[in-house]
Amino acid sequence: MIQDNKSLYTIKTSNYNIKLINSEETHAVRLPILRAGQPIKSCIFEGDNLETTVHLGIYIHDEIIGVCSFFKNNNKNILIANQYQLRGMAILKNFQGKGVGSKMLNYGEKLLKSKQTEIIWCNARESALGFYKQLGYNIIGEPFDIASIGIHYIMFKNL
Ligand SMILES: CC(C)(COP(=O)(O)OP(=O)(O)OC[C@H]1O[C@@H](n2cnc3c(N)ncnc32)[C@H](O)[C@@H]1OP(=O)(O)O)[C@@H](O)C(=O)NCCC(=O)NCCS
């Protein structure tokens, strides 16, 4: 277990690693961060087990601290053929704001670019807009509400 010890939360390039994981491994982070208080089945996303879906986990001391997933899904407002949708982007609370999310997303962007993906887009929570903007994502269209989660914006990035 990761102890409640601040020094362990210091992320150095040498002590984290990012790897491909399966959909069930995402639940350890999806549940507390994105579906708090909801049943585990709320962590299952449509398309999670498709061959084209990519799940990433970021680990420190062999414990998963963040996840994100990429689904081969085109947004009709974006007229470019090769798109992936980012979903389930989440970092455990004690590790947020330390550069972990941006490291993992950068890794995913490079991986998808190497597979000819041109655009990554996502439905971004209003509270995460700053994070995506920092990483070069732009808003397209008007904000919309997702029941029980709140206001979202479509954001996209050209790879
Ligand atoms: C949003 C989230 C994934 C970002 O990951 P993170 O590891 O905390 O972000 P990082 O530390 O890599 O931040 C990268 C940059 O974005 C900024 N940033 C991060 N979260 C931000 C936020 N919520 N609002 C504004 N800016 C933010 C950071 O300040 C940092 O900028 P800097 O390089 O100038 O310091 C993470 O905080 C999280 O899991 N939040 C809760 C779940 C969530 O909202 N997920 C997104 C669903 S769409």
Side-chain angles (χ1 to χ4, degrees), residues 29 33-34 58 65-68 86-93 95-106 122-135 149 152-153:
V29 184
I33 303 302
L34 298 173
I58 185 161
I65 58 166
V67 296
C68 64
L86 167 65
R87 295 190 66 194
M89 174 80 217
I91 304 299
L92 290 181
K93 232 179 180 52
F95 296 93
Q96 291 177 6
K98 299 177 188 303
V100 175
S102 47
K103 282 187 177 75
M104 183 171 57
L105 186 48
N106 282 331
C122 64
N123 292 324
R125 292 179 183 206
E126 195 168 32
S127 57
L129 283 189
F131 170 70
Y132 292 113
K133 280 188 182 156
Q134 193 85 10
L135 289 171
I149 304 181
H152 283 71
Y153 292 78

Side-chain angles (χ1 to χ4, degrees), residues 108-131:
E109 289 170 357
K110 285 195 187 104
L111 182 70
L112 290 179
K113 190 172 180 181
S114 75
K115 297 175 189 293
Q116 281 70 55
T117 302
E118 295 167 276
I119 293 276
I120 293 181
W121 67 276
C122 64
N123 292 324
R125 292 179 183 206
E126 195 168 32
S127 57
L129 283 189
F131 170 70

Side-chain angles (χ1 to χ4, degrees), residues 61-99:
H61 306 303
D62 291 329
E63 294 219 28
I64 194 161
I65 58 166
V67 296
C68 64
S69 303
F70 300 92
F71 296 76
K72 189 158 179 51
N73 183 25
N74 280 12
N75 185 302
K76 61 178 173 7
N77 298 306
I78 304 170
L79 302 176
I80 289 180
N82 297 319
Q83 305 179 29
Y84 259 82
Q85 180 183 5
L86 167 65
R87 295 190 66 194
M89 174 80 217
I91 304 299
L92 290 181
K93 232 179 180 52
N94 284 328
F95 296 93
Q96 291 177 6
K98 299 177 188 303

Side-chain angles (χ1 to χ4, degrees), residues 21-49 53-56 64-71 85-93 96 125 149:
I21 58 174
N22 65 42
S23 65
E24 287 186 354
E25 288 170 304
T26 66
H27 297 179
V29 184
R30 281 186 186 173
L31 187 64
I33 303 302
L34 298 173
R35 296 289 183 271
Q38 297 183 42
I40 194 80
K41 68 171 194 259
S42 67
C43 293
I44 299 169
F45 297 171
E46 193 183 338
D48 258 346
N49 294 327
T53 301
V54 175
H55 302 284
L56 292 180
I64 194 161
I65 58 166
V67 296
C68 64
S69 303
F70 300 92
F71 296 76
Q85 180 183 5
L86 167 65
R87 295 190 66 194
M89 174 80 217
I91 304 299
L92 290 181
K93 232 179 180 52
Q96 291 177 6
R125 292 179 183 206
I149 304 181

